[in-house]
Amino acid sequence: MYRTALRNVLAHKGRLLMTALAVMLGTAFVAGTMVFSDTFGKAMRDNNSKSYSDVSVQIVDTAAGATATAREKSEKSPVTLTDATVQQLAALPGTASARGVVSGFTGVADKSGALIGQPWTARGANFAPGPDGKDTRYPMAEGQGPKTAKEIALDRKTADKGGYKVGDTVRVAINGPVLEMKLTGIFTTDDPVANSGGTLTLFDRATAQQLLLEPGRYSGIVLAAKPGTGQDALLSEVNQKLHPEQQIEARTGADLKAEDERLITKSSESIRTMLLAFAAISLFVGIFIIANTFTMLVAQRTKELALLRAVGASRKQVTRSVLIEALAIGTVSAAAGLVAGLGVGAGMQSLIASLDDGMPTGSLVIKPLTVAVTLVVGILVTVLSALLPAVRAARIAPVAAMSSGDQPVSQKSLVVRNAIGSVLAAAGIALVSFGASKGNSDGRLPVALGALLAVLGVFVLLPLLSRPVIALVGPVLGRLFGTPGKLARQNAVRNPRRTAATAAALTIGLTLVSGLTVIGASVADTLDRTVTSSMKADYLVSAANGMSLSDKVPAEIAKAPGVAASSPLTTVYWELDGKDRTITGLNADSLDKLVSVTMKSGSMGAAAQGQLLIDEDVAKKLGATTGSVVEVTFGDETKGNLTVGGVYEKGGLLGGALLANSEIVKHEPQPYLNNVLVKGANGETEALKKALKDATGANPVIEVKSRQDVRDDFSQTITFALNLMYGLLAMSVIVAILGVINTLAMSVFERKREIGMLRAIGLDRSGIKRMVRLESVVISVFGAGIGVLLGCFMAWAINGTLKSSLQGLTTVVPFGQLLLFLALAGLVGLVAAFWPARRASKLDILASIKTD
């Protein structure tokens, strides 16, 4: 029996090729994901390994990078990190050296005025030379370190990107006016910021403190231990010196390095989990192909298996022989997938490097776990997929050897299958509908469970659905394509199980793709309506890095030519009736010119009287209405009362609560400045946009956006996410295409006598080709259509669970895109049928008609 099984594998090489490819692609995705995540994680750890090589203990002022409110609160602490603190810590018995560190955002413009690199990877720091005038952290490759307030040094990569050399004037920006500095040095460093593609700018100590923090203050202090003093011992000495009320944290270099490695590991594991989820989808699609292939192979070998039973083979031996075939295919395919996975991993690494040239890279990491998981997954998926066909093979009666080999389809099994599928689908739809009706996160678990049941139910019901759905296109096929069209429809519904198994692969892919598309379109539409519809201003001025703008920016913008009205959009975090709330600030005199608010009660004019405006959601939570008095704990921790002057519709730029800026600055002189809203005298014009840019000193960090620019930012983010998902789902679609090719090829072999008869009675080669191609297109579009409907339903349910966090969310169905998906599915069917159709048309008439 073992020899028979291996002989069958070799005898059906062509028929099993597509199955092997499906397994190989799925396992290649698994192997590639694990290789990539291991390689990426190791590269990140290697890149970060030298970050704390000279750090025994690091002390960090946790309030140094905080908001204005946090800084004000931190001023109540006895002392922050100053030169006196550095000297105090340097005098500890275990300290060999101590240096103060200043760090903060610093953007660098290239010679055209554009920001170099990404805003979130742009940093500035202090040059801290020793007695020899050198800073060991930043050895100068050219020139020297900065010594005055008008000098800077840049890392080598940033200087090269900007085309700068020593002696050039460089434009840098923090969050206010642009500064023009002289480049005195270009340095090399193993600092992760520079090595990861970010920009690193060095100032002299006093300038760094002035620009990035405040005079005389450090954001951190780094200590090196004396020989013989351990890091923990030095940390203990430091903790005895630090005041417990200070917002200061001290940690050893080893602890910091270990935490960074944990974060890197967690990040790489998150990436691995996401990618493995898509690999699992590909393998799940492959299960249908493998099961379909073995089912057809068993059907084609009915006489052979029955003869084996007749000459004494037991049911276990027949089952075992089919599973041995699956084992052989799974082993070979998984091994090939492992090799291909190395290429996939290398490709992913190259893709990441091309998207961000600062991402660290390294040689591929191939762990024994990767090899074991890939082989085990490939073999298990193949063997388990072949298990049911193997059991069916064992049930073939020996008397079948005397028949023609055509076994009747069991209608009883279809009835049982349809009953099970109906129960699963009904339960799933009920759970999904219940979860969606919740309208908040409480419905996510029922939706997830219901979606799983509904998908399984639909898959089980596909044979039942195939007949009536495909029958709808029968008349159209007959009228357009004549006899080949009629035959294609009949062939598509002849074996419901086979049609369902072939279509299911495309159904999975289209369910996910269409679901993501509908969710993306719905979220984009909602964000567009809630944000831009409430924005009457022509332009929004903001910092590209998300930082607070300098308080000098609003005044400069207000003086720009062509500005009719402007206001800083500020944010503070105060307590309303004992609960933390975000409060937005705008100038009351320009409120109605810059934003559009739908008032439920009260008036926008109440803001000019120092009254609080709240949205309907906050009003409900506070139990407040127009005229109510709300107790407030301000940012300076004083208490007071505010009168509610009106309640407005939720959503838009204003958030949950609005107060005039003139009232906010009474209790918080430096609120967080998010944006500046601007209304032009002549509306939105290029001249006004240029004037606003010039008013900020052509600052590379500050962006001037129109309402359309704001829309485009939202759509680009969503489009990028969707394209990423589409790319990851492409593997499952490819596997589905292989399934269509495999099924059609084996179906042609199974129906060669029928095809021979059709040729004999006058159907020409082109008619045979057209018949096979139309059958493929019909099956593909059927599977895709079910997937699109299922995806839209799932998207509607998921949107229902997001309504509480995204006010005004409605389900938007992009019919154009969904129709395009169906058209592409038809094209997939057409392409997949090319080889099987060609093979069918070339069958010899007499050889095909001859009885086996």
Side-chain angles (χ1 to χ4, degrees):
M1 292 301 294
Y2 294 122
R3 287 195 297 271
T4 301
L6 295 176
R7 185 198 67 206
N8 285 329
V9 172
L10 298 175
H12 301 103
K13 295 188 292 292
R15 300 180 218 170
L16 296 171
L17 176 61
M18 297 303 171
T19 300
L21 281 175
V23 178
M24 188 196 76
L25 287 174
T27 52
F29 205 165
V30 172
T33 294
M34 298 184 73
V35 169
F36 168 72
S37 59
D38 290 337
T39 302
F40 180 73
K42 184 177 184 298
M44 290 289 288
R45 286 189 291 272
D46 291 344
N47 183 56
N48 194 63
S49 61
K50 298 179 181 179
S51 302
Y52 303 103
S53 57
D54 59 344
V55 177
S56 296
V57 173
Q58 179 172 284
I59 301 93
V60 177
D61 183 349
T62 57
T67 62
T69 303
R71 287 197 297 270
E72 289 170 13
K73 291 180 179 180
S74 72
E75 289 171 3
K76 299 178 182 180
S77 300
V79 179
T80 53
L81 301 181
T82 63
D83 284 323
T85 316
V86 174
Q87 294 171 7
Q88 184 183 34
L89 296 176
L92 292 173
T95 302
S97 64
R99 68 171 186 269
V101 176
V102 182
S103 179
F105 170 81
T106 302
V108 182
D110 60 20
K111 292 186 177 180
S112 66
L115 183 69
I116 299 176
Q118 300 297 333
W120 53 85
T121 60
R123 303 294 295 172
N126 61 311
F127 182 67
D132 58 356
K134 297 180 181 180
D135 188 335
T136 55
R137 296 174 300 163
Y138 310 112
M140 293 294 156
E142 298 179 29
Q144 61 182 12
K147 295 181 179 179
T148 69
K150 291 292 184 180
E151 296 178 347
I152 61 167
L154 294 175
D155 68 275
R156 168 63 71 188
K157 291 182 179 179
T158 301
D160 290 344
K161 289 177 183 177
Y164 292 119
K165 59 182 183 297
V166 173
D168 286 347
T169 298
V170 181
R171 301 174 75 249
V172 300
I174 312 302
N175 66 342
V178 174
L179 305 171
E180 294 191 345
M181 318 285 271
K182 181 181 179 181
L183 181 63
T184 62
I186 297 174
F187 59 90
T188 58
T189 180
D190 56 12
D191 191 301
V193 171
N195 288 344
S196 299
T199 60
L200 186 56
T201 307
L202 298 182
F203 304 92
D204 70 278
R205 177 184 56 81
T207 304
Q209 290 176 329
Q210 176 70 35
L211 295 176
L212 305 179
L213 197 54
E214 61 186 55
R217 185 174 177 183
Y218 294 102
S219 52
I221 298 174
V222 173
L223 305 181
K226 289 180 178 178
T229 301
Q231 292 186 0
D232 290 333
L234 181 57
L235 178 63
S236 178
E237 294 179 13
V238 169
N239 285 332
Q240 292 176 14
K241 287 290 183 182
L242 296 179
H243 197 283
E245 294 183 7
Q246 290 178 307
Q247 294 188 1
I248 291 172
E249 181 182 70
R251 301 178 68 181
T252 64
D255 188 24
L256 292 168
K257 182 178 178 180
E259 180 175 347
D260 279 0
E261 289 187 351
R262 282 194 297 271
L263 292 175
I264 291 169
T265 300
K266 184 177 180 180
S267 175
S268 60
E269 285 179 351
S270 298
I271 295 172
R272 173 186 291 191
T273 301
M274 182 188 72
L275 293 176
L276 284 177
F278 287 93
I281 293 170
S282 297
L283 287 168
F284 185 58
V285 172
I287 288 173
F288 289 93
I289 297 172
I290 299 164
N292 205 22
T293 300
F294 277 94
T295 298
M296 295 176 71
L297 283 175
V298 167
Q300 291 171 12
R301 289 158 46 200
T302 298
K303 291 179 68 175
E304 175 189 330
L305 295 173
L307 283 170
L308 287 173
R309 292 277 285 117
V311 297
S314 66
R315 288 189 173 187
K316 288 184 179 180
Q317 286 178 311
V318 173
T319 302
R320 197 177 300 130
S321 69
V322 177
L323 293 179
I324 289 170
E325 291 181 47
L327 179 64
I329 295 168
T331 303
V332 173
S333 303
L338 177 61
V339 175
L342 302 181
V344 172
M348 287 182 178
Q349 192 177 20
S350 299
L351 177 62
I352 293 295
S354 66
L355 294 175
D356 187 347
D357 59 3
M359 295 303 291
T361 57
S363 57
L364 293 180
V365 177
I366 308 169
K367 293 184 177 180
L369 180 63
T370 300
V371 177
V373 168
T374 304
L375 294 176
V376 170
V377 166
I379 293 170
L380 277 179
V381 166
T382 310
V383 172
L384 291 177
S385 300
L387 183 59
L388 186 57
V391 172
R392 286 177 182 164
R395 291 177 180 173
I396 296 175
V399 73
M402 308 299 179
S403 69
S404 63
D406 296 326
Q407 296 299 302
V409 177
S410 171
Q411 294 301 320
K412 180 181 177 181
S413 63
L414 278 178
V415 171
V416 173
R417 175 173 180 157
N418 294 338
I420 294 173
S422 299
V423 171
L424 288 174
I429 292 172
L431 272 174
V432 167
S433 301
F434 170 74
S437 66
K438 288 281 188 179
N440 54 41
S441 58
D442 292 341
R444 290 175 189 171
L445 182 59
V447 165
L449 181 59
L452 177 62
L453 292 177
V455 169
L456 290 175
V458 169
F459 286 165
V460 174
L461 287 173
L462 280 178
L464 176 66
L465 295 172
S466 64
R467 288 183 181 274
V469 173
I470 295 177
L472 292 175
V473 300
V476 177
L477 291 176
R479 281 195 296 268
L480 293 178
F481 303 102
T483 300
K486 294 177 182 179
L487 291 171
R489 184 196 68 81
Q490 292 171 1
N491 291 333
V493 297
R494 176 185 298 178
N495 191 326
R497 286 195 183 92
R498 182 187 305 160
T499 298
T502 307
L506 282 169
T507 299
I508 296 169
L510 267 296
T511 297
L512 296 171
V513 168
S514 57
L516 289 171
T517 302
V518 172
I519 292 172
S522 302
V523 172
D525 174 74
T526 303
L527 291 175
D528 182 34
R529 285 187 290 103
T530 57
V531 176
T532 59
S533 63
S534 64
M535 178 178 164
K536 292 172 68 175
D538 295 312
Y539 288 101
L540 183 147
V541 182
S542 60
N545 59 353
M547 288 179 59
S548 176
L549 291 168
S550 167
D551 55 8
K552 299 176 183 178
V553 172
E556 295 297 325
I557 287 175
K559 293 186 293 185
V563 174
S566 67
S567 170
L569 184 69
T570 60
T571 301
V572 292
Y573 304 93
W574 294 350
E575 287 184 8
L576 300 181
D577 280 351
K579 292 186 178 181
D580 290 334
R581 301 286 180 189
T582 301
I583 299 175
T584 301
L586 275 172
N587 292 348
D589 58 353
S590 56
L591 183 61
D592 59 339
K593 300 175 185 177
L594 299 173
V595 294
S596 175
V597 182
T598 302
M599 299 299 298
K600 294 290 187 179
S601 63
S603 168
M604 287 179 62
Q609 302 170 16
Q611 294 182 353
L612 180 70
L613 303 181
I614 56 178
D615 74 11
E616 51 193 336
D617 186 51
V618 172
K620 182 179 179 181
K621 291 178 179 177
L622 294 177
T625 59
T626 300
S628 299
V629 176
V630 179
E631 183 179 317
V632 185
T633 301
F634 300 105
D636 55 10
E637 295 192 358
T638 60
K639 294 183 181 294
N641 295 312
L642 286 174
T643 301
V644 176
V647 178
Y648 56 88
E649 192 176 82
K650 184 179 178 182
L653 288 171
L654 302 184
L658 174 70
L659 193 64
N661 278 325
S662 56
E663 294 297 316
I664 287 178
V665 296
K666 290 179 181 178
H667 303 279
E668 202 154 331
Q670 290 186 322
Y672 187 87
L673 178 53
N674 308 58
N675 309 285
V676 179
L677 298 178
V678 181
K679 185 71 175 177
N682 299 313
E684 181 185 320
T685 64
E686 284 299 318
L688 177 58
K689 186 173 185 177
K690 184 178 185 304
L692 295 175
K693 193 67 178 175
D694 291 342
T696 65
N699 192 321
V701 178
I702 296 179
E703 297 177 330
V704 179
K705 298 180 182 179
S706 65
R707 276 175 287 188
Q708 188 58 49
D709 293 332
V710 175
R711 289 191 184 99
D712 291 344
D713 281 350
F714 285 130
S715 62
Q716 285 174 5
T717 302
I718 293 171
T719 300
F720 175 80
L722 287 176
N723 288 339
L724 177 63
M725 295 298 180
Y726 293 158
L728 293 171
L729 287 171
M731 186 70 75
S732 61
V733 174
I734 292 172
V735 174
I737 293 172
L738 292 176
V740 177
I741 297 173
N742 203 22
T743 300
L744 288 174
M746 299 186 74
S747 178
V748 166
F749 176 84
E750 205 174 52
R751 304 198 318 253
K752 65 180 181 179
R753 184 188 306 147
E754 173 190 320
I755 293 170
M757 290 295 295
L758 289 172
R759 291 279 287 118
I761 62 176
L763 191 62
D764 59 12
R765 292 181 185 274
S766 62
I768 295 294
K769 287 182 181 179
R770 192 176 300 119
M771 177 188 72
V772 176
R773 289 169 183 167
L774 288 174
E775 179 184 352
S776 176
V777 170
V778 167
I779 293 174
S780 299
V781 173
F782 164 67
I786 297 296
V788 167
L789 292 175
L790 198 55
C792 290
F793 175 68
M794 295 306 169
W796 167 80
I798 292 171
N799 284 342
T801 67
L802 298 175
K803 286 183 178 179
S804 61
S805 54
L806 195 57
Q807 183 70 14
L809 178 64
T810 56
T811 299
V812 175
V813 180
F815 291 102
Q817 285 180 271
L818 298 182
L819 288 174
L820 177 61
F821 293 154
L822 291 176
L824 290 174
L827 181 61
V828 162
L830 195 62
V831 172
F834 179 80
W835 177 63
R838 182 181 176 86
R839 181 183 178 190
S841 68
K842 290 188 174 183
L843 287 176
D844 182 85
I845 297 176
L846 294 178
S848 300
I849 295 174
K850 182 181 178 182
T851 305
D852 293 335

